[in-house]
């Protein structure tokens, strides 16, 4: 179900396109969480193009890998990834942010959109759900793997650590967590809101195989994943990322947790990312008003 893996340069090209589409989407639909989307774009691109065993033509295959975006507020970038992979057409995203659209600020129910495994956004639920799926694979003798992307602020939730304890006790080796450690949550620095640091040591103390990487480096992500692959414990990769990654005027600026880019900022972003003018497509389209 997984196609041939892509080179780093190919992954980088896809990530630039996905980033631009997420920025353009935020402008046209007036939807926030752009900084959170851009920090985890590289993780999602690497997973969907080089790791996950999925078939867009048969999205409910029983032996498919499962992916859960536990930090559900980054759904806008997940929608772009799924469209680019062929789970639905890119034109389907034109309805984003409009009344009745299946595309909202968080992933919908799996019954409403191909490629979605869990409706997330209430933080702290993705890992427990993923643990249940991973245990189910053992019970049903299915060879699938389960992957979840968590936010660092989400690790404030006790349910994350309860699931981490159980996964360790049960030696759930087919479960891998990526923590998008961009150092911000909605109201401040993650390590100042609660004492997350040292985060990797906490996962290790809970019995997980764990490594820290530059989460915006495809090479480092892949190297860490391969290093942990044969470990019989659940795996946690602490991905140090940059909120707003890829756009210098957005990087590490928590205003972009909620701020919406202007048309000029969309064009600036396109230039930074090397997007051609014919792909910008802002003329004649008015941003959706939520007032």
């Amino acid at each position: 179900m997984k196609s041939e893996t892509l080179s780093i340069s190919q992954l980088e090209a896809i990530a630039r396109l996905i980033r631009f589409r997420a920025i353009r989407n935020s402008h046209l639909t007036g939807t926030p969480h752009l900084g959170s989307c851009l920090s985890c774009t590289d993780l999602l691109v690497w997973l969907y193009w080089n790791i996950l065993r999925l078939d867009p033509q048969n999205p409910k295959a029983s032996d498919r890998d499962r992916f859960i975006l536990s930090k559900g507020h980054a759904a806008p970038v997940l929608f772009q990834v799924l469209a680019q992979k062929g789970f639905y057409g890119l034109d389907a995203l034109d309805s984003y942010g409009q009344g009745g659209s299946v595309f909202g600020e968080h992933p919908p129910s799996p019954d409403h959109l191909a490629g979605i495994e869990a409706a997330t956004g209430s933080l702290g639920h993705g890992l427990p759900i993923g643990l249940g799926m991973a245990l189910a694979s053992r019970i049903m003798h299915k060879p699938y793997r389960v992957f979840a992307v968590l936010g660092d602020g989400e690790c404030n939730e006790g349910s994350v650590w309860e699931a981490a304890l159980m996964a360790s006790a049960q030696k759930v080796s087919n479960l891998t967590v990526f923590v998008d450690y961009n150092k911000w949550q909605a109201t401040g620095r993650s390590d100042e809101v609660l004492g997350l640091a040292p985060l990797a040591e906490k996962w290790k103390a809970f019995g997980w195989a764990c490594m820290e990487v530059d989460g915006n480096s495809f090479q480092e992500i892949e190297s860490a994943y391969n290093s942990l692959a044969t470990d019989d414990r659940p795996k946690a990769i602490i991905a140090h990322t940059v909120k707003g990654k890829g756009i210098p005027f957005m990087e590490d600026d928590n205003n972009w947790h909620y701020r919406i880019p202007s048309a000029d900022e969309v064009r600036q972003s396109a230039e930074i990312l090397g997007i051609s003018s014919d792909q910008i497509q802002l003329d004649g389209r008015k941003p959706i008003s939520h007032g």
Side-chain angles (χ1 to χ4, degrees):
M1 288 190 290
K2 184 173 73 69
S3 59
E4 185 177 350
T5 57
L6 301 185
S7 68
I8 290 176
S9 61
Q10 289 173 312
L11 292 172
E12 288 172 344
I14 294 170
R16 287 193 296 271
L17 180 60
I18 295 294
R19 280 190 165 91
F20 171 72
R21 287 177 175 163
I23 293 166
R24 177 178 176 271
N25 176 76
S26 178
H27 167 72
L28 290 174
T29 62
T31 49
H33 304 307
L34 186 52
S36 301
C37 288
L38 299 182
S39 68
C40 67
T41 297
D42 299 312
L43 288 171
L44 268 61
V45 167
W46 177 77
L47 280 164
Y48 273 89
W49 270 268
N50 276 13
I51 296 297
L52 292 170
R53 297 190 293 251
L54 298 169
D55 181 1
Q57 304 307 313
N58 186 17
K60 292 292 187 181
S62 62
D63 59 347
R64 72 190 184 279
D65 286 339
R66 273 67 167 173
F67 172 76
I68 298 173
L69 182 66
S70 193
K71 49 172 288 185
H73 51 287
V77 76
L78 175 60
F79 294 151
Q80 297 291 341
V81 165
L82 291 174
Q84 188 68 22
K85 285 294 294 183
F87 283 85
Y88 41 81
L90 285 168
D91 57 351
L93 290 169
D94 288 345
S95 70
Y96 194 108
Q98 300 182 37
S101 174
V102 71
F103 300 103
E105 292 184 29
H106 294 85
S109 163
D111 294 333
H112 290 83
L113 188 63
I116 299 296
E117 297 290 352
T120 56
S122 182
L123 297 176
H125 291 180
L127 180 55
I129 293 170
L131 171 59
M133 291 177 175
L135 288 170
S137 76
R138 178 186 298 176
I139 293 168
M140 298 187 297
H141 304 289
K142 297 287 186 181
Y144 67 78
R145 304 165 300 175
V146 181
F147 300 84
V149 169
L150 280 62
D152 50 356
E154 182 177 9
C155 292
N156 294 355
E157 301 287 348
S159 53
V160 169
W161 300 105
E162 291 177 41
L165 285 170
M166 184 175 181
S168 173
Q170 296 299 318
K171 295 187 182 300
V172 186
S173 60
N174 62 331
L175 177 62
T176 300
V177 161
F178 294 86
V179 179
D180 180 17
Y181 201 1
N182 64 30
K183 316 302 187 297
W184 285 105
Q185 53 194 84
T187 58
R189 289 286 186 186
S190 301
D191 289 339
E192 296 173 359
V193 176
L194 282 186
L196 284 183
L199 186 55
E201 280 68 18
K202 289 179 172 63
W203 286 91
K204 291 175 184 176
F206 274 60
W208 287 55
C210 181
M211 292 185 69
E212 296 183 81
V213 301
D214 177 347
N216 297 124
S217 165
F218 292 116
Q219 187 170 9
E220 287 198 26
I221 296 167
E222 179 137 355
S223 177
Y225 179 77
N226 290 338
S227 295
L228 297 176
T230 58
D231 201 298
D232 65 358
R233 295 173 291 175
K235 292 93 172 161
I237 295 177
I238 310 305
H240 292 272
T241 61
V242 177
K243 197 161 188 174
K245 177 66 178 179
I247 307 299
F249 62 82
M250 296 184 186
E251 289 185 349
D252 202 37
D253 181 351
N254 206 38
N255 286 315
W256 289 99
H257 193 79
Y258 293 119
R259 188 180 159 189
I260 309 301
S262 67
D264 284 343
E265 287 168 330
V266 174
R267 295 187 180 96
Q268 289 177 51
S269 299
E271 183 175 355
I272 291 166
L273 295 168
I275 302 299
S276 61
S277 58
D278 62 319
Q279 292 179 284
I280 297 177
Q281 297 176 340
L282 294 179
D283 295 339
R285 293 196 60 181
K286 294 182 179 180
I288 298 170
S289 173
H290 296 285

